[in-house]
Structure formats: C-alpha cells, structure tokens
Amino acid sequence: MDFAVVKGVSYALVHAPSLLVHMGTTQTVEREINPDSEYLNQFQKHLRSYPECVAYPANQVYIGNMTPAELAKVARPWYERPVSGASRYGKWGEVMPEDEFYGLMKIVDSFGLVVLEESFAKEIAAKMSESPIWADSDAARLGDGTPATELQATLDGGRAEPLYVGDRLVGCVKAAHERDRALTAHVMVENLATKASGVLALRHLINLNGLDAQEIDYIIECSEESCGDMNQRGGGNFAKAIGEMAGCSGATGSDVRGFCAAPAHAMVYAASLVQSGVFRNVVVVAGGATAKLGMNGRDHVKKGLPLLEDVLGAFAILVSANDGVSPVIRTDAVGRHTIGSGSSPQAVMTAIVLDPLERVGLKLTEVDKYSPEMQNPEITEPAGAGDVPKANFKMIAALAVKRGEIARTDIDSFVAEHGLPGFAPTQGHVPSGVPSIGYFRDEIMAGRMRRAQIIGKGSLFLGRMTNLFDGVSFLFEKNEGRTEEKAQAPQGGAVATESRDELRRIMAEPELSREMAEGLETGRFGRRPRVGLTVLGSEHGPEEMVTGAELAARAGGDVEVVLVGPVSPDDARSRGLDAVWAGDEASQHARMEELLDSGELDACVTMHYTFPIGVSTVGRVVTPGRGREMFIATTTGTSGTDRVENMMKNAVYGIAAAKACGVSRPSVGILNVDGARQV
C-alpha cells in the first residue's frame, strides 16, 4: 500500500496583545499574588502594535512570505529589523488582528457566550467581510451586537471575562455554567480562542488549496487545550467543532493530546489512517493557547525587549492518499520514545532520530533537514533557555560524530547544513516539528530537497502523572511515484546492532535535572541555574575574576553568573552580570552561605574556603604547555578520612565530570605518592 502524502498546509497567527494582558498565565498569576508588582506596572509599555507584529521577520516566515533560509541571513535582533512592505497575508495564511479575531470568536460561538458591543460589532462586520475566510453564514452568526449598558451589566454580574482592544472594552465572554469550574468564563475564553484560531487555519487550508470541504473525511485536533465539563474535563471534541465551522459536514474526528509532541503523533495517526485505507483525506489541525501569551514576559521586560509572545499560533495540514506527486510520510521510519527509552537528551535523540534511520538503512547525513522544536531564539534566550533548535541540532550532530559520519570539528557545519533557525511562536505544541512542513514541501516539490525528519518532543511529567518524556518522529520524503506497497520493517521489533549498543553504552550519561529538561523539551522555561562567584581570594585579583565571570556568562548562556564581593549591582549589570555586595572575604563567604541556604544561588565557585569533610572539588583546566583540557580532582576539600579512599572517590568524581562535559572515555592519572600504587 502506498504511503500517505501531504497535499496542503496552512499556518495562521493571531496578534493578541490584550489577551496577553488579561489571559496569559504569567500575567494573571502575577495579578493574583502581587498586584502592585513592578512587572505589572511596566509590561504594557512593551506591547507591540499590529504593524510591528506583521513586519516581524519570524512571523513572515511562519505564514510563508519568507523562507527559514532567508531568515538565517537577517542579523539579530530580528525585532529591530522589520520586513519592509510586510503583508498580513502569506502563502499559507495570515496574521489576523485582535479585533477581527474577537469577531471570529463570536462567529464560532455555538452557545451565545460571546457578547460584542454593538458599535464594535458593526466595525468588525465591515472589516471581516473583506477577508478570504469570510463565509456567507458568518454575518448572521456575528449579529448586530449588544448595547454598551447591557454589556456592562453582564460584566457587573461577575461571571464574565472582558474583551478589550487596548483600553477599549469591546465585549465579554460569559461563563457556560453557574458552578462548573471547567466551564468558567476564563476557561471559555481559552476554549473559544483555540476553536476560533483552529477554524482560521482550517478555512485557509480549504481556500488556499482549492479543497472541497465535503471531501475531508476525518479531522484530528492536537492543540494544548482540552474542552469538557466537570464530569469529563478533557472529553473534547475540538476537531468536530472546528470542522463544523469550516463546512466539513462529511467529516468526523477526535482530539489528540500529548503536550508538545501531540502534532507529530497526530501526523503519524493521520498517515496511518490514510495508508490503511480507512480514510482518504485527513486534516491535522491545532488552534492556539492563550495561557502561553507573555509566558516569558518578566524576562523580556527585564531586558528591555518587546513582548514577542503576543501571538496565538495555528496550523492545518491535509494528509491524503498518494497522488504520485506530493511528498510522502514514511510510516516505515517512525521514531518513538518508548517507556523504557530513558530520559536523558541523548537517549531521547537516539530513540526518535537515530533508531528510525537505522531501521531503513539511512545515515544521519542523508537527511537534508531536521525540524525538532523550532522555538524562536529571540523569545527563549532572554528567558535563559538558549537557542533550543540549535541545541537539538548539536545533539543530532553529536550522534553523527559518535557514529563516525562526521568529524568533531564539523559539528557547526552540520548544524548549518541540516538545521534551520527557530521561527515559531511559543505555543508549546506549535513549534514541535510541524511549522517546517510547508517549507519542506515546497523545497521537495521544487527538487531542492529529498528528505527531512519531523521531530516532536514533549514532557509528560507536566501533568504530574508520570516522570516520562515523550517523542515521535517521521521521515518526510520526495514522492517516487510508487504505487505498490513498500516492504516495511515491524515497528515493535528490536534492531540490535553492535554499533548502536556501543553508542548507547558510551552515551550513558547522568540525566539532566527536570527543570533543565523541561525548558529544553517543551518551551516551558524555568530560570537558569544561578552560580555564584566570590570575587576576593584569588591571586589573580578581583578584576580578573570579574572578567572570567563575563566570559563564562557569554560562553553558552546556560547559567546565570552572580558576583559575590565588592562589586556594585549597577556595575555588574553593565557587564551582563548580577552581583551581591560583600566588603571582605569573611563577609562574602557568609553571604555566599546565606544565598545557598535560601536557594537564591544553586551553586558557588569560591577560594580559600574551609570545606567540611565529605566535600571535594573537580577543577576544569587547560594545560599551559600543550593547551589540552584536563580535570583535576581534587585540589581542595577532603572526600573522607582515608587517603586511598579519597583518591578512589576523586577518580570517580573526575570521570563523572569529564563525561558530563562530553569526554566519553576519560583516562585517569594518579598525581600522588602515598597510596598511589594501591589506588
């Protein structure tokens, strides 16, 4: 049986600055616990205008007016380099303004929960009637609106959420039940926003590809929200609700949930349903999540950036029977993170990237492009999560090094050749693999690419039901016009090869902490580990210590360096650091201990400090003679009371530190006289 193909895509964004203010989780929680906070007093000054949002290069890539390759050539920061003459509409969809989106929410509302003020409703009717997604029935569903006095009376009743455009009150969303917490006004705004943005994407998919909505057989919705009532909070069904508003009267459907990995799961389901012959045309669709608006706002405001997380992201993808032309989804090369795969980043990447390629006899270098979590680095880096796509590409490159496909010195060139710049909004599910499908489809159809791997990853522990990670991938490949069934390797069979077993053994490294993994896997970013550095006590002098701290902070951005000593916070900030004042060595060690005990520091580097027995250190150095890296364990501290036992423990500590830093098989030397032979 033929593989299924991707026949069409659509991608849409909704500029939602007022929803960010009133519905984003970061802002709503801050308003509850600290209503007078400096962040709440300042963050609205950092909101973008609609033209600024449209002209933002990453958004133009998302809707198809620019390619990721073109984005890679634009110097950052991108928000300071708007696209000249940027269009609201793109090859795959649009950036919808917030006022029209409220109109769309009213149109898709089936229970009379959305109330729009009458003058606003008239304005929106005129604007939306010019939209390519406007349907004949939309005018009646939009209605004439409600007088301002009635709107205010509804809000005064205390069971509705206001809708604003800037400072203007234009409507509200009512609760759907008096006592059901799953149907509160706040939840209904979330659900209606997901539904409306999903409808936006699906209507564009139908219009842009000349589809007959009646020919869509099945719809799979894969966003992060789930709708239901208090008796079945995630019962659904967004899929049929969205399909109803797009005219898909011949379709049925259901919702798929898997945190950030859900879209990749949904694509595999769709391909399987089509390839098996159960359905001919399946749409995978997802709306946006209002909770994610302004998620990293504190960090963006703190660093003087605009609030870039001001858009809801949506997409729709048509998966159909093989037409002999469109790129295929290879179900014989589906990667999966199993329950027993392990949760370290290396284990995850081996399971979902390497294993499926080995199964079909491909090398890592034979995949033209990879699309893992395509998070926009301008959003994630200020929040301490670094460049998430680049981190994933480097892990894939490291696998290629371990397999001998490339040299270690070729990692950066591998990333440049096989990677893409992140351009997707932080909507959790949206960045995970699927934003690149439209671009890859165009490149494959034009003959500029042969194959790509779409990678979805997620963190299931966010639901507090399991500590497991999640991941699934599939190959997206040029259609060879095949009409007969390809021989397929069984998905459940173990492919035991000596090289892969050796690779897994070499790569068996300690797991990352849950906080670090959460940021890497999902886009739900916690703060970076804060590592202190005491300034006084080194023979190199305080200025050299501060310079070293600057170099460490710039080296990768995965830690936040805090100076402890006679450095003013203002001086430290001018150099990109934080500082805690202490006037002498004794007081800096006292402050260090206080900060560690309180949790304000996660670790600290210090000199001339009396460690208790049981504590020892590993130093990472470069030898002055040959410039080779070395780990010295231990130069200070005492692991125990016995010299031989100490050296044994220190050897283990040094090996662990070296492996954590990427040295797979560190050699060990004993630099001591007493007890060295016994060790």
Side-chain angles (χ1 to χ4, degrees):
M1 187 177 297
D2 288 336
F3 292 125
V5 301
V6 172
K7 287 191 71 173
V9 301
S10 72
Y11 297 99
L13 298 172
V14 176
H15 184 231
S18 298
L19 287 175
L20 181 156
V21 173
H22 298 284
M23 292 296 298
T25 299
T26 295
Q27 290 69 240
T28 55
V29 171
E30 184 79 1
R31 211 171 278 118
E32 289 176 7
I33 63 176
N34 192 10
D36 298 321
S37 74
E38 182 66 17
Y39 172 61
L40 292 179
N41 291 331
Q42 296 293 325
F43 82 99
Q44 292 202 43
K45 300 175 185 177
H46 295 257
L47 294 173
R48 291 190 294 185
S49 68
Y50 176 65
E52 288 173 327
C53 177
V54 170
Y56 184 52
N59 291 347
Q60 287 290 297
V61 173
Y62 190 80
I63 63 173
N65 284 337
M66 289 177 61
T67 67
E70 290 169 335
L71 180 65
K73 297 176 182 177
V74 179
R76 290 178 50 199
W78 294 326
Y79 60 81
E80 291 184 352
R81 291 168 175 82
V83 176
S84 178
S87 172
R88 160 184 176 168
Y89 294 104
K91 182 192 303 184
W92 300 316
E94 69 171 293
V95 183
M96 176 174 269
E98 190 168 46
D99 56 355
E100 292 183 33
F101 184 65
Y102 290 155
L104 186 57
M105 286 175 63
K106 175 62 179 175
I107 289 168
V108 306
D109 171 26
S110 298
F111 285 85
L113 303 177
V114 179
V115 178
L116 299 181
E117 190 272 328
E118 56 185 352
S119 64
F120 177 74
K122 290 182 175 62
E123 295 170 19
I124 294 308
K127 290 182 66 175
M128 291 195 69
S129 64
E130 302 298 321
S131 169
I133 67 157
W134 181 260
D136 293 339
S137 60
D138 287 344
R141 298 186 65 87
L142 184 60
D144 297 325
T146 299
T149 53
E150 292 184 26
L151 171 62
Q152 191 59 55
T154 302
L155 285 168
D156 291 342
R159 296 183 56 253
E161 284 281 346
L163 296 177
Y164 288 93
V165 174
D167 295 329
R168 179 188 177 189
L169 177 66
V170 298
C172 70
V173 176
K174 298 184 289 187
H177 193 276
E178 290 185 4
R179 300 191 181 279
D180 192 333
R181 293 181 181 178
L183 297 173
T184 64
H186 188 93
V187 173
M188 296 316 299
V189 175
E190 292 178 337
N191 290 351
L192 284 165
T194 296
K195 179 182 177 182
S197 52
V199 169
L200 176 65
L202 182 51
R203 285 190 177 185
H204 273 300
L205 179 73
I206 292 168
N207 291 345
L208 292 170
N209 293 278
L211 302 178
D212 181 352
Q214 305 295 321
E215 294 184 356
I216 295 173
D217 304 308
Y218 200 83
I219 301 169
I220 303 174
E221 206 277 344
C222 55
S223 66
E224 293 186 289
E225 302 293 354
S226 59
C227 57
D229 65 7
M230 58 186 167
N231 293 314
Q232 46 176 12
R233 286 171 291 177
N237 180 309
F238 275 121
K240 293 186 79 171
I242 290 170
E244 178 188 20
M245 291 297 126
C248 305
S249 58
T252 186
S254 60
D255 299 347
V256 169
R257 296 293 174 263
F259 288 100
C260 301
H265 283 287
M267 289 295 295
V268 172
Y269 298 164
S272 301
L273 287 169
V274 171
Q275 186 176 335
S276 66
V278 175
F279 299 114
R280 185 169 182 82
N281 295 302
V282 178
V283 168
V284 174
V285 64
T290 58
K292 294 291 182 63
L293 293 170
M295 185 174 65
N296 294 296
R298 290 191 191 90
D299 293 299
H300 294 169
V301 169
K302 182 179 178 182
K303 294 175 172 63
L305 307 178
L307 289 169
L308 301 173
E309 295 170 305
D310 58 355
V311 291
L312 299 173
F315 63 85
I317 300 171
L318 176 62
V319 179
S320 298
N322 197 331
D323 60 2
V325 178
S326 303
V328 301
I329 299 170
R330 288 191 58 176
T331 50
D332 63 338
V334 171
R336 59 206 179 101
H337 182 269
T338 65
I339 292 171
S341 292
S343 56
S344 71
Q346 293 85 353
V348 173
M349 281 298 191
T350 298
I352 63 178
V353 175
L354 178 60
D355 286 358
L357 297 182
E358 282 192 334
R359 190 184 309 128
V360 295
L362 289 174
K363 296 179 180 180
L364 291 159
T365 52
E366 291 179 305
V367 176
D368 297 305
K369 293 287 184 181
Y370 294 90
S371 180
E373 305 146 296
M374 298 308 298
Q375 301 275 6
N376 180 344
E378 292 207 325
I379 294 173
T380 58
E381 286 177 344
D387 188 330
V388 178
K390 182 179 260 187
N392 281 286
F393 296 138
K394 283 192 171 183
M395 287 186 207
I396 297 170
L399 291 176
V401 172
K402 297 290 186 183
R403 288 173 54 82
E405 294 185 30
I406 64 172
R408 185 178 295 273
T409 55
D410 293 332
I411 287 179
D412 288 342
S413 59
F414 180 95
V415 171
E417 180 180 351
H418 299 275
L420 301 169
F423 60 89
T426 48
Q427 290 276 284
H429 58 296
V430 171
S432 206
V434 293
S436 306
I437 289 178
Y439 171 62
F440 290 160
R441 184 178 186 276
D442 284 356
E443 293 294 289
I444 292 172
M445 296 281 284
R448 292 186 291 266
M449 271 179 59
R450 179 171 179 77
R451 66 174 62 89
Q453 189 178 57
I454 310 298
I455 303 164
K457 294 197 290 178
S459 299
L460 301 183
F461 54 72
L462 298 170
R464 306 305 191 266
M465 292 290 106
T466 176
N467 284 311
L468 292 173
F469 289 91
D470 189 26
V472 68
S473 70
F474 59 88
L475 275 184
F476 189 47
E477 197 170 85
K478 178 183 177 182
N479 195 324
E480 300 292 352
R482 291 173 242 182
T483 56
E484 67 238 8
E485 183 176 0
K486 284 177 65 70
Q488 297 185 29
Q491 286 286 89
V495 183
T497 65
E498 183 178 345
S499 62
R500 193 173 69 190
D501 290 344
E502 175 69 3
L503 174 63
R504 284 175 169 163
R505 187 186 69 77
I506 292 172
M507 294 174 60
E509 297 182 3
E511 294 180 5
L512 294 178
S513 72
R514 184 175 301 175
E515 284 187 2
M516 290 174 65
E518 177 176 336
L520 183 61
E521 301 291 327
T522 72
R524 295 175 171 87
F525 305 106
R527 66 174 179 83
R528 290 176 293 172
R530 286 169 59 86
V531 179
L533 173 67
T534 56
V535 174
L536 299 175
S538 168
E539 63 272 23
H540 297 295
E543 183 58 32
E544 196 67 18
M545 301 301 291
V546 175
T547 300
E550 286 185 277
L551 293 172
R554 290 200 302 264
D558 51 357
V559 297
E560 186 173 352
V561 182
V562 181
L563 300 172
V564 182
V567 180
S568 74
D570 288 341
D571 290 342
R573 277 192 292 273
S574 70
R575 305 174 78 158
L577 306 166
D578 283 346
V580 176
W581 177 268
D584 53 41
E585 284 194 55
S587 60
Q588 76 175 3
H589 284 149
R591 290 293 287 130
M592 175 190 77
E593 292 171 354
E594 292 171 6
L595 294 168
L596 289 169
D597 290 341
S598 67
E600 293 181 59
L601 288 182
D602 299 294
C604 192
V605 178
T606 189
M607 288 73 65
H608 298 181
Y609 180 75
T610 304
F611 291 101
I613 290 178
V615 175
S616 59
T617 63
V618 179
R620 188 179 187 182
V621 301
V622 175
T623 60
R626 296 188 178 180
R628 296 181 61 184
E629 186 177 63
M630 179 181 289
F631 296 82
I632 301 179
T634 178
T635 58
T636 57
T638 304
S639 305
T641 57
D642 180 83
R643 185 184 302 274
V644 172
E645 178 187 350
N646 286 352
M647 286 190 282
M648 286 294 294
K649 287 182 176 179
N650 294 340
V652 173
Y653 300 157
I655 291 169
K659 284 191 171 185
C661 293
V663 182
S664 60
R665 295 179 177 177
S667 57
V668 180
I670 306 299
L671 299 179
N672 207 62
V673 176
D674 296 340
R677 186 176 298 278
Q678 186 177 350
V679 171

